[in-house]
């Protein structure tokens, strides 16, 4: 009797033989296609991929922010009323030149420093002055439209609470420091954010820049506790969460052009570019520098594109469809970083729109290479100054809206209140300081001053006391 084992072995041998035969018989490339030249067997050198020129879109990319755009920036009425110069009485002691009449029925409404206002003392001994419009005989307080209007809390307290939030202490921490209820702090933040948004819009428009750096940074919030997940895990988890902080800045003047919070999506990239386009002068198309996030291309094209009619390739047939192409003056380069095991391995550059020479020419004016270093430095400041964006914090931040308010506060504080070391200019003559300190040789400058938006360093108090007029005032009147 032959054992089963024998048959198994026989089967195994047959299988091995079949494999060998198949390997020998199977047509291999080298046998069936004789190569004209004996190729060296060394691995082929990596092909250098030439990026294809951008072919253009057949449809104009849709921007949600453009579709839902609010009314255009209010323009001053074409005919301003005549200036009022007081003829009678003694010289005015109180400067009312930064105020305007709020009465919608008054011809002088919204005109700042038109001479129609007169100080009227402090009603019932309150801290704020009352102003009188001599045209409409309307009375209003000098805090109308600011966070201080109708508040019984001390001005100093409100200013310090907001300053603490701007410096990066969380809402609960600030509430403990000043022994105020956390909900009160939140309420003040909400009101201040609304006012500061108007403040930003009032000053930040028609800005001319050579370069814009764009970046997104993630914020750990609520459900994701710091320390429990790695950075990459957090990124994956947060990819869908609306907790990415988007920043656009002018690296030359360190000016923050836009700052927002949302998903890491095309719609959000478009929204940020939309905001940048709103801040920049209409004919200003700067050099954009971003990381390798792919959606920036479409987002930039949405706002810096035009229809181009491609040339006919053949004499007959229908004309080729028009293409949505980048504006000829638009320059866009990406800085692509390869990170392995949380270590930076390689940094490469890719010019997407325009030429490398043109991009380098813009950068050479500052003695720079293609980089996104400045925006990354700003990201660090944001982490320090906006409590909700910091890595190891669990602050009272009611989701996206709460974070947006803190970012609005930081936006104004950074642009108008914080002098930047690299922007300071030497004084013509050194100023002596009080006491024994050395003489002052430098004039501190904020990004807003460097960009020519204002001529002085604002304090948070003056920012919060500023009554934003309803339309931009004509210059030099
Ligand atoms: Zn009036």
């Amino acid at each position: 009797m032959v054992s089963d084992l024998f048959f198994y072995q026989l089967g195994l041998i047959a299988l091995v033989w079949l494999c060998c035969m198949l390997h020998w018989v199977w047509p291999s490339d080298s046998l069936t296609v004789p190569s004209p030249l004996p190729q060296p067997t060394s691995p082929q050198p990596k092909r250098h991929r030439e990026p294809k020129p951008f072919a253009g879109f057949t449809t104009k990319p849709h921007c949600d922010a453009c579709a839902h755009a609010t009314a255009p920036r209010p323009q001053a009425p074409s005919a301003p009323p005549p200036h009022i110069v007081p003829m009678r009485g003694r010289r005015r002691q109180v400067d009312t030149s930064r105020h305007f009449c709020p009465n919608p029925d008054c011809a002088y409404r919204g005109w700042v420093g038109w001479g129609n206002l007169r100080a009227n003392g402090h009603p019932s001994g309150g801290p704020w002055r009352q102003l009188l419009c001599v045209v409409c005989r309307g009375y209003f307080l000098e805090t109308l439209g600011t966070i201080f209007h109708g508040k019984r809390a001390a001005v100093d307290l409100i200013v310090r609470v907001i300053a603490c939030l701007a410096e990066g202490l969380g809402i609960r921490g600030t509430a403990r420091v000043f022994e105020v209820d956390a909900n009160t702090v939140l309420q003040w933040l909400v009101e201040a954010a609304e006012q500061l948004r108007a403040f930003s819009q009032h000053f930040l428009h028609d800005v001319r820049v050579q370069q814009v750096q764009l970046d997104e940074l993630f914020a750990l919030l609520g459900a994701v506790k710091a320390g429990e997940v790695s950075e990459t895990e957090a990124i994956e988890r947060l990819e869908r969460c609306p907790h990415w902080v988007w920043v656009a800045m002018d690296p030359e003047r360190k000016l923050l052009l836009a700052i927002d919070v949302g998903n890491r999506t095309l719609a959000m990239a478009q929204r940020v570019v939309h905001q940048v386009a709103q801040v920049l002068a209409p004919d200003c198309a700067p050099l954009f520098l971003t990381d390798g996030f792919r959606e920036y291309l479409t987002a930039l094209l949405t706002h810096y594109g035009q229809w181009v009619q491609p040339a006919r390739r053949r004499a007959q047939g229908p004309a080729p469809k028009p293409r949505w192409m980048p504006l000829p003056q638009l320059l866009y380069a990406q800085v692509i970083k390869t990170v392995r095991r949380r270590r930076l391995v390689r940094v490469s550059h890719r010019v997407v729109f325009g030429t490398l020479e043109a991009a380098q020419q813009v950068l050479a004016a500052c003695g720079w290479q293609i980089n996104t270093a400045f925006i990354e430095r700003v990201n660090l400041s944001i982490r320090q100054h906006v409590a909700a964006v910091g890595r190891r914090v669990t602050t009272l931040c009611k989701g996206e809206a709460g974070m947006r308010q803190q970012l609005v506060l930081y936006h104004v504080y950074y642009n108008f209140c914080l002098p930047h070391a690299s922007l300071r200019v030497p004084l013509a003559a050194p100023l002596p300081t009080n006491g024994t300190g050395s003489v002052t040789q430098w004039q501190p400058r904020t990004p807003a001053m460097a960009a020519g938006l204002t001529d002085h360093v604002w304090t948070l108090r003056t920012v919060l006391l500023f009554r934003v007029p309803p339309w931009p005032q004509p210059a030099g009147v």
Side-chain angles (χ1 to χ4, degrees):
M1 183 182 136
V2 187
S3 72
D4 288 345
L5 197 65
F6 174 75
F7 281 109
Y8 283 134
Q9 284 180 341
L10 200 68
L12 195 69
I13 290 166
L15 267 173
V16 170
W17 178 79
L18 195 67
C19 285
C20 291
M21 288 307 286
L22 270 177
H23 181 74
W24 185 65
V25 170
W26 206 262
S28 84
D29 291 66
S30 58
L31 285 173
T32 50
V33 186
S35 53
L37 282 169
Q39 292 278 332
T41 48
S42 65
Q44 283 195 340
K46 240 186 184 175
R47 266 185 305 155
H48 182 72
R49 269 192 305 166
E50 269 302 313
K52 270 186 279 178
F54 182 70
F57 294 136
T58 47
T59 55
K60 182 181 186 288
H62 172 80
C63 173
D64 224 31
C66 288
H68 294 114
T70 45
R73 187 179 297 281
Q75 293 297 319
S78 49
H83 280 266
I84 294 179
V85 184
M87 292 303 190
R88 291 179 299 135
R90 61 191 168 86
R91 257 188 82 239
R92 301 269 178 261
Q93 298 289 312
V94 181
D95 177 29
T96 58
S97 65
R98 290 175 181 275
H99 288 277
F100 57 91
C101 176
N103 181 1
D105 299 326
C106 179
Y108 282 75
R109 173 190 170 250
W111 293 101
V112 177
W114 236 250
N116 58 318
L117 299 176
R118 193 182 293 169
N120 200 43
H122 298 251
S124 49
W128 302 114
R129 198 167 263 130
Q130 194 181 43
L131 300 175
L132 164 71
C133 174
V134 294
V135 178
C136 67
R137 308 302 298 175
Y139 292 92
F140 62 97
L141 281 179
E142 60 182 335
T143 53
L144 187 72
T146 71
I147 187 175
F148 303 110
H149 194 246
K151 291 257 189 324
R152 265 181 294 170
V155 182
D156 282 336
L157 179 66
I158 297 178
V159 170
R160 283 189 194 143
V161 162
I162 303 292
C164 238
L165 293 173
E167 281 291 345
L169 198 58
I171 290 174
R172 287 211 185 94
T174 309
R176 280 192 294 272
V177 169
F178 295 101
E179 297 177 359
V180 190
D181 189 62
N183 285 312
T184 310
V185 176
L186 186 63
Q187 179 62 32
W188 289 350
L189 172 63
V190 171
E191 287 176 38
E194 204 173 311
Q195 189 186 336
L196 295 178
R197 195 170 285 129
F199 182 91
S200 236
Q201 268 177 12
H202 180 70
F203 284 100
L204 212 59
H205 56 86
D206 293 291
V207 180
R208 293 194 171 275
V209 297
Q210 297 291 315
Q211 309 171 35
V212 172
Q213 294 191 356
L214 282 159
D215 202 6
E216 335 80 62
L217 73 157
F218 70 88
L220 287 173
L221 284 180
V224 190
K225 284 206 182 92
E228 282 181 13
V229 290
S230 73
E231 202 158 308
T232 33
E233 259 181 273
I235 288 181
E236 278 167 23
R237 220 184 277 188
L238 287 161
E239 196 86 25
R240 297 173 302 273
C241 293
H243 299 311
W244 286 83
V245 175
W246 295 72
V247 189
M249 79 172 300
D250 163 21
E252 279 181 83
R253 274 91 56 92
K254 316 285 182 272
L255 188 72
L256 275 184
L257 301 170
I259 183 164
D260 207 342
V261 56
N263 300 323
R264 197 164 186 260
T265 57
L266 169 64
M268 195 59 212
Q270 283 179 318
R271 192 162 126 176
V272 174
V273 175
H274 177 89
Q275 290 177 20
V276 172
Q278 297 284 304
V279 167
L280 298 186
D283 56 335
C284 174
L287 163 67
F288 283 93
L289 292 167
T290 73
D291 57 12
F293 185 51
R294 135 166 56 88
E295 308 290 13
Y296 280 124
L297 186 146
T298 315
L300 285 172
L301 264 187
T302 311
H303 294 91
Y304 293 96
Q306 63 179 10
W307 286 112
V308 170
Q309 180 66 49
R312 276 171 171 274
R313 289 210 200 126
R314 276 171 287 175
Q316 281 99 33
K321 281 189 177 155
R323 295 273 176 163
W324 186 260
M325 295 289 281
L327 291 175
Q329 69 268 35
L330 178 70
L331 297 172
Y332 172 39
Q334 289 181 337
V335 178
I336 299 158
K337 292 188 173 169
T338 318
V339 179
R340 282 215 188 96
R341 290 183 186 164
R342 305 178 75 178
R343 284 228 181 133
L344 188 64
V345 188
R346 196 161 56 96
V347 180
S348 54
H349 306 143
R350 194 162 80 91
V351 176
V352 184
F353 299 138
T355 60
L356 182 64
E357 292 71 41
Q360 278 170 341
Q361 201 182 348
V362 173
L363 289 161
C366 315
W368 294 342
Q369 306 279 318
I370 291 180
N371 71 87
T372 51
F374 296 99
I375 192 101
E376 280 155 28
R377 179 65 193 81
V378 164
N379 284 349
L380 187 65
S381 319
I382 290 173
R383 282 199 197 284
Q384 286 167 353
H385 278 88
V386 183
V389 189
R391 285 171 198 228
R392 290 170 197 286
V393 288
T394 49
T395 88
L396 182 79
C397 174
K398 296 193 170 169
E400 205 177 321
M403 184 126 102
R404 195 163 282 144
Q405 279 140 8
Q406 297 212 357
L407 289 174
V408 169
L409 171 59
Y410 180 70
H411 191 183
V412 172
Y413 191 62
Y414 173 92
N415 275 345
F416 290 87
C417 304
L418 289 180
H420 199 286
S422 72
L423 298 174
R424 63 180 191 175
V425 285
L427 287 170
L431 283 176
T433 40
N434 296 328
T436 53
S438 55
V439 291
T440 311
Q441 290 183 338
W442 299 92
Q443 185 207 1
R445 287 204 308 166
T446 59
M449 286 165 76
L453 304 175
T454 176
D455 59 354
H456 62 281
V457 180
W458 289 69
T459 63
L460 208 50
R461 178 189 296 261
T462 51
V463 167
L464 290 171
L465 269 169
F466 184 79
R467 292 179 63 219
V468 180
W471 51 72
Q473 301 294 312
V477 192

